Amino acid sequence: MNETHENRLKRIWMRSKYRGIREMDLILQQFCKDHLEDMDDAALTLYDALLYENDQDLYQWVTGQVETPEKFRALVRDISLTFNRT
């Protein structure tokens, strides 16, 4: 994909903001407000991949109801910290 860094951030922000369930909208919006601008390319790529996961799965991972897959574990932990702070 050939997109500018600015466009990538905008696309990721919109995908975070408008999810399938309201709970994930709120959680991911706050996470993006706190972290998106400071993420490097590798972190953005991983977060972008996470956004393709099902909202129900994401919610269960963030809330600790179900174990998170290894590749997303650290990222979901960071998102969970944002969630638990709000």
Side-chain angles (χ1 to χ4, degrees):
M1 184 181 302
N2 189 18
E3 69 183 331
T4 65
H5 183 73
E6 180 180 325
N7 285 346
R8 185 179 192 193
L9 292 177
K10 286 178 184 179
R11 178 179 55 77
I12 289 172
W13 168 252
M14 292 302 289
R15 290 190 62 220
S16 298
K17 189 174 179 180
Y18 298 107
R19 303 292 304 175
I21 60 173
R22 184 70 180 144
E23 292 85 350
M24 288 312 302
D25 292 349
L26 297 172
I27 291 167
L28 294 179
Q29 281 180 66
Q30 188 60 53
F31 179 77
C32 282
K33 285 179 188 176
D34 293 349
H35 301 285
L36 192 63
E37 290 288 330
D38 298 325
M39 294 171 90
D40 63 17
D41 283 336
L44 285 172
T45 298
L46 182 63
Y47 183 68
D48 198 11
L50 180 79
L51 293 176
Y52 283 96
E53 297 294 327
N54 180 285
D55 270 352
Q56 295 297 331
D57 293 336
L58 286 174
Y59 186 75
Q60 290 179 335
W61 297 342
V62 169
T63 59
Q65 297 174 37
V66 175
E67 187 173 341
T68 304
E70 178 63 36
K71 74 177 186 174
F72 295 127
R73 199 162 287 154
L75 177 57
V76 169
R77 183 196 66 234
D78 292 344
I79 294 169
S80 295
L81 292 173
T82 299
F83 166 72
N84 289 324
R85 198 179 45 157
T86 58

